Amino acid sequence: MPRPDFGDNPAEAFRQSEQRLRLILDSALDFAIFTTDLDGQITSWNNGAERLLGYSEEEAIGLSADVIFTREDVKNRISDRERKSALTTGRGEDERWHARKDGSCFWSNGLMMPLKNDAGEAIGFLKILRDQTQAKQSQEQLETHARQQRAVAELGQQALQTIPLFKLIQEAAKLISRTLETPLVDVLRWKEEENVFQLVVGVGWPEQLIGHATVEGGKDTLAGYTLATRGPVIVENLPEENRFKDSTLLSEQGAVSGVSVIVAGEYSHTFGVLSAHATSRREFTRDDVNFLQAIANILGGAIQRQAVEDQLNDLNETLEQRVVRRTQQIRALAFQLTRAEEQERRRLAQVLHDHLQQLLVASRFQLASAQNLTDDPQLTQTLRRANDLLGQAVDASRSLTVELSPPVLHDEGLVAALRWLGQWMHQMHGLTVEVDTDGIAEPTEESVRIFIFQAVRELLLNAVKHADVKEAHVRMTQPNPDQLHTIVEDQGKGFDPDSLKEPSAGRAGYGLLSIRERLHLIGGRMHLDTKPDRGTKIILDVPLRPT
């Protein structure tokens, strides 16, 4: 298209050129574009700037560019740094929160460039901003969700490691505080006969209150209201709460907003209430509630398992009085406990597979779509990094799913599962495991298969952690139709067998003691042959069916 000829009227040419430029800038409504002088005073202001920042052109002209920065950034002289960077390198880039006229903030990526005259001298600056708040919030939501799911998986692993229940609850409270960034977390145990809740575990609570402070039952307290309504209960502002009246204990700790859920075992009575509180006004999301409920469900499963173990202990105490009948009951309960633990593993693995993995994969698709919707290189790089992190989370989730409950154990049996375990130990830990199961009959009792598999895995992991070896040997024999011998052997450091008399000596000793006690309860025995620097040989005599 030929340019218009203005002949000897350069002023008219300049006026129309400036008008066209103004039209172009005012048409860019998605971008805030304005100019400043060398001191940062605003000299021009497009429609996009008015739309995004709230100031009209008449209001903005003459103001300092500091008005679009947060108080903290003004204090830190961020605007001066941008102008200095633009003069030094030709451009000043930023990605930060900016302030509107009404005091609200938005996330933006911006660019500042120097304006130069014909002589190449800087006479001012051009600033371009674009609102990226939605992309920022979406990214943060995905990262928060992934962090919460990792925390659930972490606690699930701890729950399967047979650590004491009270310690597990303590770890859960700390995990909730870190993940939700709430300074106050409490676990209140319900004492039905006294109609009170007792503070048994707390994060951010005074030590003198833990184990002693109580809260009345009934709907007048948050805990009682949660129990009565079966939760979850979200509190937006505790001082203005009218669903319950007595919140003195929480108010004394500075609680303002919070969320509470019930902790209950699958087959047991309600254990109590789990709560997380913020000391300033905060909106808890549905993801926050689901996360807290998932933690409560894991604790509920652990409480159920503890109830079964308590029954075993109670029965064991009266063993001398009712030897035959009680022995049968204990062994049946021990097998039941083994099945219950495996069911919990399978349930957790199913949750990871059906829920977490699907959410993570869907999130990756969303991030991929978001990358196609922006041409901003910084945002594209950020989204790509987030996509890579989600990919790592998917891989970790899939690996954890298999570790928790290997499908081969249920689909193909113990022999195939032990061979898979040997390959897995080599892939994950570099331990070469020779598995010899020739000539044995596949155990028909599921609890026997589960126990042997879990015991062998624990012993091989002990070898990795403590024996300093690269090879181990697993051998199974069947001396009679009712019994299996399982032998796990390595040529590593070995240890003093007398150290097993002190369970607190280390995790390896604790694991061996646990296996020995479980074997004893089901009518089996563990034989240990080890010395320092002489390797370790462990033989498990396992009955093939409960008696």
Side-chain angles (χ1 to χ4, degrees):
M1 181 176 181
R3 296 182 178 180
D5 185 6
F6 295 101
D8 296 328
N9 192 355
E12 178 64 19
F14 179 79
R15 186 188 68 79
Q16 293 200 20
S17 176
E18 186 179 52
Q19 186 178 17
R20 285 195 300 272
L21 177 60
R22 180 69 183 185
L23 288 172
I24 291 173
L25 293 179
D26 283 343
S27 298
L29 296 179
D30 289 338
F31 295 86
I33 304 174
F34 62 92
T35 59
T36 73
D37 60 20
L38 290 176
D39 294 325
Q41 301 297 315
I42 297 171
T43 57
S44 70
W45 190 260
N46 81 330
N47 289 340
E50 180 174 348
R51 177 173 172 268
L52 182 59
L53 292 160
Y55 296 93
S56 67
E57 184 177 17
E58 291 76 13
E59 293 174 315
I61 299 298
L63 292 178
S64 169
D66 283 349
V67 298
I68 73 167
F69 288 89
T70 64
R71 291 181 180 179
E72 182 178 357
D73 285 349
V74 171
K75 181 179 179 181
N76 293 328
R77 306 182 67 84
I78 297 300
S79 182
D80 292 344
R81 295 184 193 177
E82 282 191 3
R83 291 195 295 274
K84 183 177 180 180
S85 176
L87 289 174
T88 304
T89 66
R91 60 195 291 137
E93 300 182 22
D94 73 350
E95 190 173 11
R96 66 182 67 255
W97 291 103
H98 282 286
R100 296 187 176 94
K101 178 183 176 181
D102 63 7
S104 64
C105 292
F106 65 96
W107 182 263
S108 169
N109 59 345
L111 176 66
M112 175 176 281
M113 295 176 289
L115 294 175
K116 298 183 179 181
N117 59 20
D118 293 340
E121 299 171 334
I123 59 173
F125 299 93
L126 172 68
K127 178 75 173 182
I128 304 173
L129 292 174
R130 188 176 187 182
D131 187 357
Q132 297 290 349
T133 306
Q134 187 173 0
K136 172 73 171 176
Q137 291 174 341
S138 297
Q139 178 187 344
E140 290 178 346
Q141 185 177 8
L142 289 172
E143 291 174 351
T144 297
H145 189 74
R147 184 173 68 252
Q148 290 177 354
Q149 293 295 341
R150 287 196 300 270
V152 171
E154 178 185 338
L155 187 68
Q157 282 187 305
Q158 294 185 48
L160 295 173
Q161 292 174 358
T162 63
I163 67 174
L165 178 59
F166 184 72
K167 182 178 179 181
L168 179 67
I169 297 175
Q170 288 179 315
E171 292 300 317
K174 296 175 185 176
L175 192 65
I176 292 168
S177 181
R178 291 196 304 269
T179 306
L180 291 183
E181 298 179 347
T182 51
L184 292 171
V185 177
D186 55 79
V187 180
L188 298 172
R189 183 167 188 174
W190 172 234
K191 293 187 172 183
E192 186 175 6
E193 66 283 357
E194 301 174 29
N195 193 34
V196 296
F197 292 89
Q198 181 183 22
L199 178 64
V200 292
V201 170
V203 172
W205 290 78
E207 286 294 329
Q208 63 269 23
L209 294 182
I210 298 174
H212 302 287
T214 59
V215 175
E216 292 295 326
K219 291 186 177 181
D220 283 343
T221 62
L222 172 58
Y225 184 83
T226 304
L227 181 61
T229 60
R230 306 306 295 175
V233 175
I234 298 176
V235 176
E236 295 182 359
N237 189 5
L238 189 62
E240 299 176 0
E241 185 59 57
N242 56 21
R243 290 173 293 179
F244 45 87
K245 301 175 182 178
D246 186 1
S247 55
T248 305
L249 190 61
L250 286 172
S251 298
E252 290 174 350
Q253 311 312 314
V256 175
S257 299
V259 57
S260 299
V261 297
I262 290 175
V263 180
E266 188 173 355
Y267 305 111
S268 65
H269 296 297
T270 298
F271 177 83
V273 172
L274 172 65
S275 303
H277 309 280
T279 52
S280 59
R281 190 75 176 264
R282 169 176 170 178
E283 181 180 349
F284 285 91
T285 66
R286 175 52 54 183
D287 280 345
D288 295 336
V289 175
N290 290 340
F291 164 72
L292 194 65
Q293 188 64 66
I295 296 295
N297 291 343
I298 291 175
L299 293 180
I303 291 167
Q304 176 62 31
R305 185 180 68 188
Q306 183 67 54
V308 175
E309 291 180 349
D310 289 344
Q311 292 181 49
L312 288 173
N313 292 334
D314 291 343
L315 289 171
N316 198 33
E317 290 175 2
T318 60
L319 189 60
E320 294 180 359
Q321 303 169 358
R322 303 177 182 179
V323 175
V324 176
R325 186 166 63 87
R326 291 305 193 208
T327 298
Q328 293 174 344
Q329 290 177 339
I330 289 172
R331 291 178 180 177
L333 281 171
F335 278 104
Q336 179 184 342
L337 176 60
T338 300
R339 287 193 294 268
E341 289 175 341
E342 183 60 17
Q343 288 170 1
E344 189 65 19
R345 289 188 181 93
R346 294 179 71 175
R347 184 173 69 173
L348 183 55
Q350 193 70 30
V351 169
L352 289 173
H353 180 271
D354 293 347
H355 182 62
L356 172 59
Q357 291 179 23
Q358 305 307 316
L359 285 174
L360 292 177
V361 171
S363 298
R364 295 195 71 188
F365 280 124
Q366 292 293 326
L367 281 179
S369 298
Q371 290 180 48
N372 296 328
L373 295 177
T374 180
D375 54 2
D376 179 71
Q378 283 189 326
L379 180 58
T380 300
Q381 185 178 5
T382 299
L383 292 173
R384 187 178 295 113
R385 286 198 301 267
N387 200 357
D388 291 340
L389 288 173
L390 285 175
Q392 295 175 27
V394 170
D395 293 340
S397 173
R398 287 173 177 165
S399 176
L400 179 58
T401 299
V402 174
E403 292 177 32
L404 286 172
S405 182
V408 65
L409 178 62
H410 309 286
D411 298 337
E412 300 181 37
L414 177 62
V415 173
L418 289 177
R419 297 191 184 282
W420 172 88
L421 178 60
Q423 298 171 358
W424 181 82
M425 293 297 299
H426 186 267
Q427 293 171 0
M428 301 301 294
H429 302 288
L431 181 69
T432 300
V433 181
E434 180 183 355
V435 180
D436 180 8
T437 59
D438 293 339
I440 70 162
E442 183 74 31
T444 57
E445 184 71 28
E446 181 186 25
S447 55
V448 173
R449 297 195 299 268
I450 293 170
F451 173 81
I452 293 176
F453 179 85
Q454 298 296 346
V456 171
R457 179 164 65 177
E458 176 73 14
L459 294 175
L460 290 176
L461 288 173
N462 278 348
V464 170
K465 296 175 185 176
H466 308 288
D468 192 20
V469 293
K470 296 296 183 182
E471 296 180 356
H473 188 192
V474 176
R475 184 168 70 255
M476 295 184 66
T477 62
Q478 189 169 359
N480 60 66
D482 298 320
Q483 192 175 54
L484 273 180
H485 283 188
T486 303
I487 304 167
V488 180
E489 186 174 10
D490 66 70
Q491 300 301 317
K493 291 182 178 179
F495 60 94
D496 183 0
D498 290 339
S499 64
L500 288 183
K501 297 177 181 178
E502 299 292 336
S504 61
R507 290 289 304 166
Y510 188 87
L512 288 174
L513 283 172
S514 176
I515 293 172
R516 185 174 69 185
E517 292 303 314
R518 288 286 185 91
L519 265 175
H520 174 72
L521 290 173
I522 64 175
R525 294 184 63 190
M526 183 180 81
H527 307 275
L528 178 62
D529 182 9
T530 183
K531 289 183 179 179
D533 300 320
R534 297 288 183 88
T536 301
K537 181 178 182 180
I538 299 172
I539 304 174
L540 310 178
D541 294 340
V542 185
L544 286 176
R545 60 184 60 85
T547 56

